[in-house]
Amino acid sequence: FDLASILTRGEDGTPLANPPLIRAISKDPVLSEVKLISEPWDCGGLYQVGSFPNWDIWAEWNGKFRDAVRKFIKGSEGQKRALATRIAGSSDLYNYHQRKPFHSINFVVAHDGFTLHDLVAYNQKHNRANGESGRDGCNDNDSWNCGAEGETSDVGVLALRKRQMRNMHLVNMVSQGVPMVVMGDEYGHTRHGNNNAYGHDNHLTHFQARHRPPFDWTCSASVPDRPGWELLETTRDSFFRYFSGLVSFRRDHPLLGQAEFLGKADITWHEDNWSNPESKFLAFTLHGHGRDLYCAFNAHHYFVK
């Protein structure tokens, strides 16, 4: 449910603790058995991540997960504790009543905003193609262009961008909760810095794969702007392989995507420096099912041994 918090307001716009429509959906014998996911905020400023009325039925887009991952991976200070909480399943938000880790829909990128590629390629939005003189779209993206704005031939910048894309996808795949990814991020789709491209029917929003869709793409009238449909093929043995491989790894690993919140015996944090805002190294080991899984993230500009 896009901008679902609007459905929790009363006739005068006041947020309701027990909104009748959300309650009716939650109690319906059919609808209550399907996957109900809210985008728990609206255009009026209501922000309900962790507090969306849910009757232990509704899952939520975890916007705090997105923010923590983006900030930590790009190297912002003071983000380690927040990232650790999100990786462990956001129990501060969802561990009450009958809520479970799977009520947290974890994501770094959504259908609006920057793509994963553009998140590491642009510091600013570039939305003039939308016809609103660049006024539309979010200004607060927590992005970092890795040293050059937009397209570049600098091999160092390009290598860093690829590494950052891998880092953010890895965090999502090893976190407790349900990961959400956006179509196109698996091959590095770019909208050239446009973070509000929903109104476009061209290369900004078309899936760039060699495989042809079920209608006639040979007709020029069908596609006014078709750039080749080959990006997926060019990354199939590199980034796409990494991206899809991690999805498979998560699906098959019993310590990832657990149904219950982690206890002290389930995870070891290799950390005694939580209060230092300059510390950007986070490591942990998951335990259970007769096996261990060690993960580490280093957002410093130097190696950590």
Side-chain angles (χ1 to χ4, degrees):
F1 288 73
D2 197 30
L3 300 173
S5 290
I6 189 64
L7 303 177
T8 71
R9 295 181 183 270
E11 293 181 358
D12 62 352
T14 302
L16 303 175
N18 299 291
L21 176 59
I22 301 299
R23 184 184 187 281
I25 294 173
S26 303
K27 299 296 182 179
D28 186 271
V30 175
L31 296 179
S32 63
E33 296 297 320
V34 304
K35 293 181 174 64
L36 297 171
I37 302 172
S38 70
E39 182 183 30
W41 51 83
D42 65 16
C43 293
L46 185 57
Y47 188 77
Q48 296 178 307
V49 173
S51 61
F52 185 86
N54 57 75
W55 282 269
D56 295 328
I57 296 291
W58 291 75
E60 298 175 9
W61 275 18
N62 189 345
K64 293 186 177 182
F65 180 95
R66 172 201 60 204
D67 297 344
V69 174
R70 291 186 178 192
K71 290 176 181 178
F72 181 91
I73 294 300
K74 78 171 185 175
S76 298
E77 292 187 352
Q79 298 301 316
K80 182 165 63 176
R81 187 183 294 273
L83 181 66
T85 302
R86 302 302 153 229
I87 287 175
S90 295
S91 61
D92 61 323
L93 300 176
Y94 303 111
N95 191 8
Y96 66 94
H97 298 322
Q98 300 301 312
R99 304 283 268 164
K100 302 293 182 182
F102 53 73
H103 287 119
S104 173
I105 307 300
N106 300 332
F107 67 103
V108 181
V109 171
H111 62 274
D112 50 8
F114 281 149
T115 65
L116 185 61
H117 171 281
D118 291 358
L119 192 61
V120 300
Y122 294 91
N123 285 347
Q124 307 293 332
K125 65 183 183 182
H126 295 263
N127 290 2
R128 298 195 69 84
N130 300 345
E132 298 183 40
S133 300
R135 294 188 300 270
D136 64 308
C138 182
N139 293 314
D140 185 14
N141 298 287
D142 286 321
S143 60
W144 178 45
N145 64 19
C146 298
E149 186 74 358
E151 296 183 12
T152 180
S153 58
D154 188 308
V155 294
V157 170
L158 293 175
L160 179 56
R161 288 177 178 177
K162 292 177 181 178
R163 188 159 68 244
Q164 290 294 78
M165 290 169 65
R166 288 179 168 88
N167 288 335
M168 285 187 278
H169 182 52
L170 177 61
V171 177
N172 204 0
M173 289 298 108
V174 301
S175 296
Q176 304 301 319
V178 178
M180 181 183 80
V181 299
V182 173
M183 182 183 72
D185 281 345
E186 70 274 23
Y187 64 80
H189 183 82
T190 180
R191 298 185 187 129
H192 305 289
N194 193 323
N195 72 352
N196 195 35
Y198 73 95
H200 291 273
D201 184 17
N202 53 33
H203 65 282
L204 295 179
T205 54
H206 292 172
F207 187 72
Q208 305 298 309
R210 181 169 293 174
H211 310 293
R212 296 187 182 276
F215 55 92
D216 185 10
W217 282 80
T218 62
C219 175
S220 59
S222 301
V223 188
D225 188 358
R226 186 184 70 183
W229 279 70
E230 297 178 349
L231 286 179
L232 175 57
E233 293 300 327
T234 64
T235 66
R236 186 172 295 279
D237 295 326
S238 53
F239 184 71
F240 176 80
R241 178 174 176 270
Y242 174 88
F243 194 101
S244 58
L246 273 180
V247 173
S248 298
F249 178 79
R250 177 189 173 87
R251 180 191 59 206
D252 297 337
H253 205 293
L255 297 180
L256 301 176
Q258 299 189 49
E260 303 294 335
F261 286 101
L262 301 177
K264 291 184 178 180
D266 301 320
I267 187 169
T268 299
W269 295 102
H270 306 293
E271 180 58 58
D272 57 5
N273 202 18
W274 293 105
S275 299
N276 182 2
E278 296 181 357
S279 179
K280 303 174 185 178
F281 180 82
L282 180 66
F284 62 93
T285 300
L286 295 172
H287 312 287
H289 300 277
R291 60 206 304 184
D292 296 324
L293 177 62
Y294 174 83
C295 300
F297 297 96
N298 177 31
H300 289 288
H301 294 295
Y302 51 82
F303 292 107
V304 175
K305 296 183 179 179

